[in-house]
Amino acid sequence: MQLLGHISPGVIITPGFFTYLLILSFGAVIGILCFNRLSKPFRTLTQMLCFIILVEILSKIFQNRWGTNFPIYHVSQIIQLVFFGRIFYLLLKRHQKTQIILVLSAVLCTVLSLLVTLFYQSIFTFPSIGSLLLSFYVSFSSVVLYYSMIKLPIKTPVLKQPKFWFGAGSLFFYTITFFILGFFKLVLELEGKMPEWCYFILHLANYILYSSYLIAIILAARTNHLNK
Amino acid sequence: MNLDSTIPLIAGTVLVTVLTVFIILFVILYKKAQLKFELERQQFQQALLQTEVEIREQTLLNISRDLHDNFGQIASLVKIHLAMISKAELKDKDRLRVEESVDLVRDLIKEIRSLSTSLNSQNIAKQGIVGMIEHDISRIQRSGFIDIKLLYKSAQIAIDPQKAIFLYRMFQEMLNNILKHSEATKATVGIDCTDNILTLKVRDNGKGMSKTRNFHSPVNGYGNGLLNIKERCKIIGATYSIESYPNKGTFIEIKLPT
């Protein structure tokens, strides 16, 4: 599960992780089945979900084989930045100036994340800075996406717009992640380990994230089908 | 749970609450923005329609003047020339032809004047809407294509001149539909003003329209006129209803608060 790389060796699948994987896989499968009906941003989202499944499988293999999956997360943060950069670029086609700002931000965060991984944080440590950059970029871009939606509203009710669900899930999860990472060091110093409620919030946030993405993909497939 | 882990827990709860409130606020703001956008779009459409109508009226006025000034004059000149031909020098056959030609040109001048009158919306102020409708119906009656009756209680109806023009053009559109598409042999036009509501009713005994068809969707040119009527009703605040069944004719009613 994202940000829970520090799981003791031998533990392969917990019920929480299984539920998370189920929701994630469901979203990816629906996206693949409706791929031709999806618009470009949601095709990219489907590709990203497939990538995340691959990351989770690889992280389990790494965890069991080498006792750590942090290297996987270092790489996946950077690739996810690229995916999100493309998704937000495609979602904001009607707002050229905003598009440029978000693309440049994505490039900046990707480069910084890469530099941190190469020169600052070892790939065998938790990629906290990379995760912070990713969380900040996605939270910021989601707020910008919402702002652009208010500036140019369309007739479709907001709860039936795939953009809304994509933004809601992303904002929810990545804002929580951003703050947890901010408190991460403090909590570790106070408690010595991550407390259970922290895992609970991350579980919940993951469920919300991928459920929202699933809803977004279903709505995107339906909208495009109706528009044909 | 000690105080040191309670604080982050509270902070986490506050964060989740803030996020939820933010998303709810976004939904509310978006709905407001949608309503505002929809209102602006409708206002823009109305303004566009109004401009279209003004351009059309100006064009019709120009055509009306050209008809009257140019064609009318030429037809009058032809009549004068024909009248100047010395009939005494002509054979009987030729004299008859000349007299028929004079009659035809006289009818032509009448039709040109009549058409010019109906194209010129400024005449509505002089003759009133009932007068203008009556004038058009008389012109159609003369052609003999269809039998149209006009029913009204009072020839003088007080109505805003701008709305009167719109109503008159809508009547012309309905008449046009009857002549071009309905294959009707009879039609009735009723105009009445009761309780400050002007009601215009047009009924024909033509072929009607299929129930399954969208009356306002242009198909083979049929529907554009009805769409125009619907749009014009929106502009002047009139209500519009249509009933039509295959082989049972069509009935259109427009109600306009005066």
Side-chain angles (χ1 to χ4, degrees):
Chain A
M1 186 173 291
Q2 289 199 60
L3 288 188
L4 297 178
H6 195 63
I7 296 174
S8 43
V11 175
I12 299 173
I13 291 178
T14 60
F17 181 80
F18 179 76
T19 311
Y20 152 74
L21 211 58
L22 198 66
I23 299 172
L24 173 60
S25 305
F26 204 44
V29 164
I30 299 281
I32 290 165
L33 288 174
C34 306
F35 200 75
N36 290 331
R37 278 193 265 158
L38 295 176
S39 56
K40 279 184 188 168
F42 296 100
R43 284 186 186 184
T44 311
L45 177 63
T46 305
Q47 289 162 350
M48 191 177 76
L49 293 181
C50 295
F51 170 73
I52 292 169
I53 292 172
L54 182 67
V55 162
E56 294 300 341
I57 294 168
L58 282 174
S59 80
K60 287 293 171 196
I61 293 170
F62 264 64
Q63 185 67 39
N64 280 309
R65 187 84 200 265
W66 292 288
T68 180
N69 51 16
F70 291 153
I72 300 289
Y73 284 123
H74 272 272
V75 174
S76 77
Q77 313 282 19
I78 295 166
I79 295 173
Q80 277 187 74
L81 271 165
V82 174
F83 271 118
F84 274 115
R86 180 163 163 79
I87 292 171
F88 282 112
Y89 168 78
L90 291 167
L91 286 174
L92 289 162
K93 273 244 148 116
R94 291 159 79 194
H95 312 262
Q96 277 186 336
K97 280 183 190 164
T98 319
Q99 245 186 342
I100 293 167
I101 292 169
L102 291 188
V103 165
L104 288 175
S105 309
V107 168
L108 183 66
C109 289
T110 309
V111 168
L112 278 173
S113 196
L114 190 61
L115 289 172
V116 161
T117 297
L118 289 172
F119 302 113
Y120 188 70
Q121 262 183 335
S122 161
I123 57 164
F124 298 105
T125 58
F126 179 70
S128 55
I129 298 174
S131 295
L132 262 174
L133 285 168
L134 175 63
S135 305
F136 173 75
Y137 174 73
V138 177
S139 307
F140 168 71
S141 302
S142 302
V143 171
V144 168
L145 177 67
Y146 275 179
Y147 175 72
S148 68
M149 282 173 74
I150 288 179
K151 276 196 92 178
L152 276 178
I154 59 174
K155 270 189 186 174
T156 315
V158 70
L159 294 177
K160 288 189 179 170
Q161 290 186 42
K163 262 188 199 179
F164 167 76
W165 291 100
F166 173 76
S170 301
L171 188 65
F172 211 84
F173 177 79
Y174 286 100
T175 309
I176 287 172
T177 311
F178 184 79
F179 278 91
I180 284 179
L181 284 169
F183 276 112
F184 187 65
K185 220 175 170 183
L186 173 72
V187 172
L188 270 185
E189 277 170 15
L190 291 172
E191 300 281 313
K193 57 170 184 160
M194 288 287 278
E196 281 306 310
W197 58 263
C198 202
Y199 287 107
F200 172 73
I201 288 179
L202 284 171
H203 276 285
L204 193 64
N206 268 287
Y207 298 156
I208 291 170
L209 174 69
Y210 294 112
S211 302
S212 302
Y213 284 179
L214 171 63
I215 295 171
I217 287 171
I218 291 170
L219 287 174
R222 213 184 276 173
T223 311
N224 274 10
H225 176 66
L226 289 172
N227 285 344
K228 277 182 186 166
Chain B
M1 197 183 283
N2 59 32
L3 195 65
D4 291 330
S5 55
T6 308
I7 294 167
L9 180 61
I10 292 170
T13 311
V14 166
L15 175 64
V16 169
T17 311
V18 163
L19 280 172
T20 312
V21 166
F22 175 83
I23 287 171
I24 292 170
L25 259 173
F26 165 76
V27 171
I28 293 169
L29 283 172
Y30 189 84
K31 282 188 176 168
K32 273 193 183 168
Q34 254 183 337
L35 281 167
K36 188 181 167 199
F37 189 74
E38 186 57 30
L39 191 68
E40 282 172 11
R41 194 186 64 84
Q42 279 174 1
Q43 284 172 346
F44 173 74
Q45 262 191 340
Q46 278 226 326
L48 195 64
L49 266 164
Q50 186 83 16
T51 310
E52 261 181 49
V53 166
E54 281 169 19
I55 292 170
R56 204 178 292 164
E57 289 305 317
Q58 188 58 45
T59 308
L60 289 174
L61 183 65
N62 293 340
I63 294 170
S64 161
R65 284 182 183 150
D66 280 341
L67 269 174
H68 187 269
D69 298 344
N70 297 334
F71 292 89
Q73 278 203 1
I74 292 168
S76 299
L77 275 171
V78 169
K79 189 177 146 209
I80 290 166
H81 281 146
L82 283 170
M84 281 166 68
I85 295 172
S86 173
K87 294 186 187 100
E89 293 166 14
L90 292 171
K91 290 180 190 164
D92 283 343
K93 236 195 233 174
D94 294 334
R95 194 177 42 233
L96 270 167
R97 279 207 189 107
V98 169
E99 279 169 6
E100 268 177 31
S101 299
V102 169
D103 287 338
L104 282 169
V105 172
R106 194 179 293 126
D107 287 343
L108 177 64
I109 292 168
K110 217 182 194 176
E111 286 303 316
I112 288 172
R113 280 190 187 145
S114 177
L115 189 58
S116 169
T117 304
S118 47
L119 291 176
N120 188 347
S121 55
Q122 289 170 353
N123 288 319
I124 292 177
K126 293 178 203 165
Q127 295 185 34
I129 185 154
V130 177
M132 291 293 287
I133 289 175
E134 201 171 19
H135 173 268
D136 273 9
I137 288 174
S138 309
R139 191 162 54 83
I140 303 297
Q141 286 278 69
R142 283 199 297 273
S143 68
F145 289 130
I146 184 172
D147 176 25
I148 307 185
K149 277 198 184 72
L150 174 65
L151 306 167
Y152 60 92
K153 284 184 188 160
S154 164
Q156 300 303 321
I157 295 176
I159 178 173
D160 174 62
Q162 188 72 3
K163 289 184 181 179
I165 294 169
F166 272 82
L167 198 63
Y168 176 60
R169 293 294 175 219
M170 284 192 271
F171 162 74
Q172 284 186 315
E173 193 69 61
M174 287 189 267
L175 200 60
N176 199 38
N177 276 345
I178 291 174
L179 294 172
K180 273 191 179 172
H181 305 294
S182 73
E183 296 173 15
T185 54
K186 285 185 181 167
T188 318
V189 178
I191 182 159
D192 180 35
C193 191
T194 315
D195 296 332
N196 293 324
I197 296 184
L198 190 154
T199 309
L200 174 66
K201 297 179 192 176
V202 177
R203 187 188 292 275
D204 68 65
N205 69 345
K207 64 180 183 184
M209 289 181 280
S210 167
K211 235 187 196 178
T212 52
R213 208 180 77 70
N214 180 355
F215 295 152
H216 305 104
S217 139
V219 172
N220 301 326
Y222 203 171
N224 257 327
L226 293 175
L227 193 59
N228 278 336
I229 293 170
K230 194 177 172 195
E231 295 296 328
R232 284 178 196 212
C233 282
K234 264 192 214 167
I235 294 175
I236 59 172
T239 56
Y240 152 85
S241 64
I242 176 168
E243 278 174 33
S244 187
Y245 301 97
N247 302 318
K248 289 189 178 169
T250 303
F251 171 69
I252 297 177
E253 185 182 62
I254 295 173
K255 286 187 175 185
L256 170 68
T258 56

